[in-house]
Amino acid sequence: MTRTQQAVVQYATTPMGVELREVAVPEIGSADVLLRVGAVSVCGSDVHQAYGTHSWAVNIPVTLGHEFGGTIAARGREVTAFKEGDRVVSETAAVICGTCLMCRTGRYNLCPSRKGFGYNVDGAMAEYVKVPARCLHHVPDTLPFDLACLTEPHAVAYNAMCGNAQINPGDLVVVLGPGPIGLLCARIAALSGAHPLVVAGLAADAERLAAAKTLGATHTVNMQDQSLDEVVRDLSPIGADVVCDASGASRPLDAALKLVRPDGQVVKVGWSPDQVPVDLNPLVHKNVRLQGSFSHNYPIWERVIGLIAAGLTRAHLIVGLKANLAGWHDAFDAMHSGKVIKSVLIPETGNGK
Ligand SMILES: [Zn+2]
Ligand SMILES: [Zn+2]
């Protein structure tokens, strides 16, 4: 008889086509491990999928969740670098081709055949998840899973700010959008020496903007009652050295191109299904470097695990709610409404530690 488990499954792409279901515990292949999930954090993209506001294809039915860590319960016969009982976190590229230029040069996050946990391949909002061993990283015993699971969004932010953009100490950095990724981008910018560091949002983001201050922002701006342009020009009349668009919308690219100084950098990490016309003339006229940022790879994960374990990213400050799998709905809603920055799900069998 196949063993079954509880899982948070997206079964339709219409809004709220998600429910807690009883599904089979996955069978592993020779290069996989079976991971007992210790904790899985809810990503903005999980919330977008649940509310039907995502901009990527979803292969339904699929178990949600791509930000996770846990303990190895079983391993395939080819797996030698990890063993039963090891504490690990997992990268998100569940399937890659392994042979294209991107894969062969360690940039497998950009493999055209990449398939990710939680939208193409069953993810970790379950008691157990099947993971290829190549995705795994050990985590120190001192780092609990309810923080280790945040490695993935930290890696997104690290790649945006320290891979695709380069921040120098003293750079004026502006982050548009204080969602989880925007706040982590701000924290990584602060660690990189950004100063001043401006985080901008809307009136509804009041609590997130307050959190930005605790993460190192020197200025926060509610754009509905203050001009971001004026704040930035007061700090530096020529404009910002680096602007990060983490807003999850398309329109703010216009603002980013206006705020950036000549020969500055704009890095776009948020995306949305909206297609809007953008004035690209400042891009040329000011000789701006516009750079997209997607996902992350092995060396970024190793760096980020070290930063989180050392407490440098202040990861605990962004977690506002912890729930078991049955509490997924409240956990998603709390993020959707902006009540919390980040929710973490802890399966009964996982205990978060
Ligand atoms: Zn994520
Ligand atoms: Zn490839």
Side-chain angles (χ1 to χ4, degrees):
M1 215 175 76
T2 36
R3 275 200 301 160
T4 62
Q5 61 170 351
Q6 289 198 316
V8 181
V9 175
Q10 179 168 18
Y11 60 89
T13 50
T14 46
M16 278 310 169
V18 175
E19 66 182 12
L20 193 67
R21 278 191 180 179
E22 201 69 17
V23 302
V25 172
E27 304 265 331
I28 59 168
S30 59
D32 300 325
V33 305
L34 185 68
L35 198 67
R36 190 174 81 234
V37 178
V40 48
S41 45
V42 181
C43 180
S45 67
D46 296 312
V47 178
H48 278 298
Q49 281 178 226
Y51 283 81
T53 53
H54 53 287
S55 44
W56 49 92
V58 178
N59 179 26
I60 52 166
V62 70
T63 299
L64 296 175
H66 60 267
E67 303 177 355
F68 61 100
T71 308
I72 296 178
R75 60 176 160 161
R77 62 184 152 72
E78 289 169 39
V79 178
T80 53
F82 298 90
K83 61 183 190 309
E84 288 76 3
D86 283 1
R87 301 174 75 257
V88 295
V89 288
S90 170
E91 295 189 31
T92 53
V95 175
I96 54 173
C97 80
T99 56
C100 75
L101 176 67
M102 295 293 110
C103 284
R104 285 177 188 272
T105 52
R107 294 171 291 170
Y108 50 84
N109 53 315
L110 304 176
C111 171
S113 308
R114 175 188 181 277
K115 290 185 167 60
F117 288 112
Y119 64 95
N120 272 137
V121 174
D122 282 334
M125 289 188 186
E127 293 162 72
Y128 293 91
V129 58
K130 177 179 86 166
V131 181
R134 67 168 168 77
C135 293
L136 300 175
H137 297 258
H138 283 113
V139 295
D141 289 342
T142 49
L143 181 60
F145 288 130
D146 55 9
L147 293 180
C149 64
L150 299 167
T151 308
E152 196 272 344
H154 278 78
V156 169
Y158 191 98
N159 194 23
M161 305 312 272
C162 300
N164 285 311
Q166 281 97 42
I167 295 173
N168 289 306
D171 275 354
L172 166 53
V173 175
V174 178
V175 177
L176 304 174
I181 294 295
L183 290 173
L184 290 172
C185 285
R187 182 65 203 146
I188 296 290
L191 284 174
S192 305
H195 192 90
L197 171 57
V198 183
V199 177
L202 304 173
D205 297 319
E207 282 180 37
R208 293 170 176 215
L209 291 174
K213 279 268 171 77
T214 67
L215 293 168
T218 56
H219 299 71
T220 57
V221 177
N222 163 4
M223 293 185 290
Q224 281 160 313
D225 61 40
Q226 220 183 344
S227 159
L228 176 59
D229 198 59
E230 277 174 25
V231 171
V232 171
R233 302 288 158 189
D234 273 353
L235 293 167
S236 171
I238 200 168
D241 298 289
V242 178
V243 181
C244 169
D245 176 7
S247 66
S250 301
R251 172 55 62 201
L253 183 58
D254 258 335
L257 289 168
K258 285 197 188 91
L259 291 167
V260 71
R261 69 159 162 82
D263 212 21
Q265 309 169 57
V266 173
V267 61
K268 184 154 176 54
V269 62
W271 50 330
S272 96
D274 306 335
Q275 302 200 348
V276 299
V278 172
D279 177 8
L280 290 176
N281 289 317
L283 181 76
V284 179
H285 179 230
K286 293 200 286 188
N287 196 114
V288 169
R289 198 177 105 203
L290 172 60
Q291 172 74 56
S293 190
F294 182 74
S295 197
H296 30 66
N297 62 358
Y298 186 91
I300 294 172
W301 276 68
E302 289 291 306
R303 275 287 162 96
V304 163
I305 291 166
L307 291 174
I308 300 173
L312 287 168
T313 66
R314 304 179 186 168
H316 59 283
L317 293 176
I318 66 165
V319 178
L321 185 155
K322 293 180 197 175
N324 59 17
L325 292 176
W328 74 270
H329 202 305
D330 288 346
F332 279 41
D333 273 355
M335 279 177 65
H336 186 66
S337 66
K339 206 163 76 190
V340 304
I341 296 162
K342 201 82 178 160
S343 301
V344 171
L345 299 181
I346 298 172
E348 308 280 349
T349 43
N351 90 16
K353 309 289 174 219

